[in-house]
Amino acid sequence: MCFFRVLLPLLFCVVPLTALSEDAGASIATEQLRQELEQIRSEIEATERGMNQKMAEIRERRHQIEFGDPEIAALRQELVELERQVLRKREELEARIAANKALKALEDERRAVFQKLKELRETEAAIRRELAARENS
């Protein structure tokens, strides 16, 4: 209750009930919002341009550091070689797993189950179409 005693008089002080009609006031308020929106859009564009410029500067500087400093360049090269080794090892692992006869048998079974499921779904769809056609006739 105390809140309304304070808020209600302030509301009448802030919102003038004279001078402008509601339509004119709404029109002015709408135009002000449009102007504010345009200002915000311009600021967003400028900020995005600045951010893109900073990102380009960061990429350039990282590249300079990564390739310009001999110690860091050597470290980077070691990392590239280790990544190549990891990829080769993953390929070797996958080849060995794929060569396993028990796994091949399981994959064949899975493919057969998948094929049966596909056929069942096709049959289901055909039955649904037939039912829909009969119900709509």
Side-chain angles (χ1 to χ4, degrees):
M1 179 102 173
C2 184
F3 177 73
F4 289 109
R5 287 184 186 173
V6 173
L7 183 62
L8 203 53
L10 286 176
L11 183 62
F12 285 114
C13 292
V14 172
V15 180
L17 298 176
T18 60
L20 298 175
S21 69
E22 287 184 16
D23 288 340
S27 177
I28 291 171
T30 301
E31 186 57 35
Q32 288 173 341
L33 282 175
R34 284 189 180 121
Q35 290 173 357
E36 186 175 346
L37 179 61
E38 189 57 38
Q39 287 176 333
I40 292 296
R41 285 180 177 163
S42 295
E43 191 173 338
I44 287 171
E45 289 175 11
T47 303
E48 285 177 341
R49 282 191 302 274
M51 183 177 62
N52 290 338
Q53 183 180 355
K54 287 294 176 198
M55 291 302 295
E57 290 173 16
I58 289 170
R59 280 191 305 273
E60 182 180 330
R61 184 65 183 133
R62 284 185 60 94
H63 186 270
Q64 289 172 353
I65 293 169
E66 196 170 334
F67 292 95
D69 185 323
E71 288 181 31
I72 294 176
L75 181 61
R76 181 188 178 286
Q77 191 56 42
E78 286 178 46
L79 181 60
V80 167
E81 184 54 38
L82 288 172
E83 288 172 343
R84 286 185 187 134
Q85 289 176 17
V86 167
L87 289 175
R88 284 192 298 269
K89 292 293 182 182
R90 281 195 183 134
E91 290 171 358
E92 181 182 339
L93 175 66
E94 287 301 317
R96 287 187 177 193
I97 289 172
N100 184 289
K101 290 180 183 180
L103 180 62
K104 280 184 177 181
L106 284 173
E107 287 178 348
D108 290 343
E109 290 174 20
R110 183 196 58 83
R111 277 190 285 279
V113 170
F114 181 79
Q115 183 61 35
K116 178 164 176 85
L117 182 60
K118 180 182 173 187
E119 292 168 2
L120 288 170
R121 287 188 174 147
E122 289 172 355
T123 303
E124 176 194 29
I127 292 171
R128 285 180 184 260
R129 285 190 302 271
E130 181 63 28
L131 279 174
R134 288 182 184 189
E135 290 172 352
N136 292 331
S137 296

